[in-house]
Amino acid sequence: MTINKDASGITNSNVYLPNFDIDMHYKKYKNRRQQGQVKLEWTIKHAMRFGFVSAIVCAEVWQTSRAKTLEFLNKLVDMGLLQAAKTIRAADGRVYVLSYAGAQYARELTQIDFPFRSTSEPIHQVNQNSIMHDSILSLVLSLGIQNSNTDGTPNPLWKAYLTELEFKRLFPANDVKNVDALVLLNNNEVAAVEIEHSFKRKQQHEQSILKFKSALFGEQKLYDKVFLIVASTKIQQDTQRFYKQLLNEMPTRYDKKSKQPQLTEREAEILKEKTIIRTKFINVITDKFYS
């Protein structure tokens, strides 16, 4: 898949395209050798982009059993491309990170240079506090690309993505607020993705809305809309309630420094339209990470 043939309508296309142009669609082949090579390349690129790869995510994307999935990932460990990292923070007790050789291979596959630091223990390569969040995010982004109709016809929700790690490298300045990910939609719009897998206070949601305001209406437009991916029906209801309250209240509140409303009426209306709560992944998130 090559994205950059039609880049004119993509928000920040010159910045995002190297990452959007990495093909992350997992293709199925009848030939075992060909399928093995596709699995290998997908795994290495995935580990590069998220900082690790989870067997849970691999099994769901590849549609293989846990035993077969672990067998393949451990084969890549034996080949010196991955390292197994055990941690109680992962839903299944482990993740896999790149080795130095794996990082070199990832650079060859993507033609993107990225920082890699060897550590005495593989688990030190990742932030253990965010493993669950990042595993859910990687599953959602992958399944969005793999999405198909009930008859098996491909129907991707988005055609490419940019991870939080990649976003931070592109925008290291503190004045640009991080997002969990960006996705390139089929109409070439760019949507921010935020994973809501825990309950948040009203003030936390307010800070998110101000972040979205800055990205959508600031001098540097970062994306066109926002997808809130909720992990449960209760979190969905809670999020909807707070967003409804805040988008009605914030135009009547004034910032102490600027003396201006937190949101104009017009900004609030646009944010109501552009902030979309997605419930599609609730069942798979619950099944894979909370059962």
Side-chain angles (χ1 to χ4, degrees):
M1 178 176 64
T2 301
I3 304 298
N4 60 9
K5 289 180 180 178
D6 180 20
S8 58
I10 301 174
T11 299
N12 275 330
S13 61
N14 60 322
V15 177
Y16 299 154
L17 268 178
N19 298 99
F20 279 163
D21 214 29
I22 301 173
D23 185 2
M24 295 303 296
H25 182 261
Y26 176 71
K27 303 173 185 65
K28 294 182 180 178
Y29 295 94
K30 293 182 180 179
N31 182 291
R32 289 184 63 186
R33 185 196 62 77
Q34 199 172 15
Q35 194 66 68
Q37 184 64 27
V38 169
K39 272 186 187 177
L40 187 157
E41 292 182 6
W42 186 93
T43 304
I44 296 300
K45 290 186 291 186
H46 190 97
M48 164 195 156
R49 304 191 71 186
F50 291 94
F52 65 89
V53 65
S54 161
I56 292 174
V57 176
C58 292
E60 187 65 19
V61 173
W62 301 344
Q63 291 295 288
T64 53
S65 68
R66 176 166 176 77
K68 287 291 185 183
T69 303
L70 289 174
E71 180 183 344
F72 186 83
L73 292 173
N74 289 328
K75 178 183 175 182
L76 299 192
V77 172
D78 293 339
M79 292 170 63
L81 296 174
L82 293 181
Q83 299 178 87
K86 294 184 178 181
T87 171
I88 60 172
R89 303 295 182 91
D92 59 346
R94 76 180 80 182
V95 292
Y96 292 81
V97 299
L98 291 175
S99 64
Y100 178 78
Q104 291 296 97
Y105 188 30
R107 292 187 180 105
E108 292 176 17
L109 286 173
T110 63
Q111 295 300 299
I112 291 177
D113 193 17
F114 68 99
F116 176 81
R117 180 174 60 88
S118 295
T119 56
S120 57
E121 295 292 334
I123 194 60
H124 294 159
Q125 288 187 32
V126 298
N127 179 359
Q128 293 191 63
N129 293 328
S130 65
I131 282 179
M132 180 69 86
H133 171 278
D134 293 347
S135 297
I136 293 171
L137 175 65
S138 69
L139 178 66
V140 166
L141 295 182
S142 299
L143 293 185
I145 287 180
Q146 299 296 135
N147 191 61
S148 60
N149 297 328
T150 53
D151 63 358
T153 305
N155 184 24
L157 303 181
W158 42 78
K159 52 187 177 180
Y161 60 72
L162 184 145
T163 69
E164 182 179 11
L165 275 178
E166 293 164 338
F167 186 86
K168 287 178 178 178
R169 292 182 197 126
L170 294 175
F171 302 103
N174 292 329
D175 57 343
V176 175
K177 304 297 184 184
N178 282 331
V179 293
D180 288 343
L182 298 177
V183 292
L184 178 61
L185 305 180
N186 297 318
N187 63 359
N188 275 350
E189 284 190 324
V190 175
V193 171
E194 293 282 349
I195 299 294
E196 302 288 351
H197 72 115
S198 60
F199 292 98
K200 291 183 178 178
R201 301 186 305 276
K202 186 175 182 178
Q203 187 178 14
Q204 290 175 295
H205 285 301
E206 181 178 312
Q207 291 304 310
S208 292
I209 289 172
L210 291 173
K211 173 177 74 173
F212 302 149
K213 170 192 171 180
S214 175
L216 289 169
F217 306 114
E219 292 182 10
Q220 185 179 34
K221 185 179 180 182
L222 298 177
Y223 37 85
D224 303 296
K225 59 180 60 175
V226 178
F227 290 158
L228 302 178
I229 309 291
V230 291
S232 74
T233 302
K234 289 185 177 179
I235 291 174
Q236 172 201 351
Q237 294 169 345
D238 200 58
T239 302
Q240 283 178 325
R241 176 171 60 86
F242 279 132
Y243 268 72
K244 184 176 180 180
Q245 289 177 8
L246 287 163
L247 291 174
N248 286 329
E249 293 172 5
M250 290 172 73
T252 67
R253 294 192 201 152
Y254 286 79
D255 183 88
K256 292 180 180 179
K257 292 182 179 179
S258 68
K259 309 300 182 185
Q260 298 296 316
Q262 288 182 312
L263 293 176
T264 66
E265 293 285 354
R266 177 63 176 157
E267 288 169 344
E269 287 302 315
I270 293 174
L271 280 165
K272 287 177 185 178
E273 176 189 345
K274 297 291 187 181
T275 305
I276 301 157
I277 296 178
R278 305 294 299 260
T279 60
K280 177 179 176 62
F281 300 98
I282 287 177
N283 290 339
V284 70
I285 291 172
T286 300
D287 180 51
K288 299 302 174 184
F289 295 101
Y290 296 107
S291 295

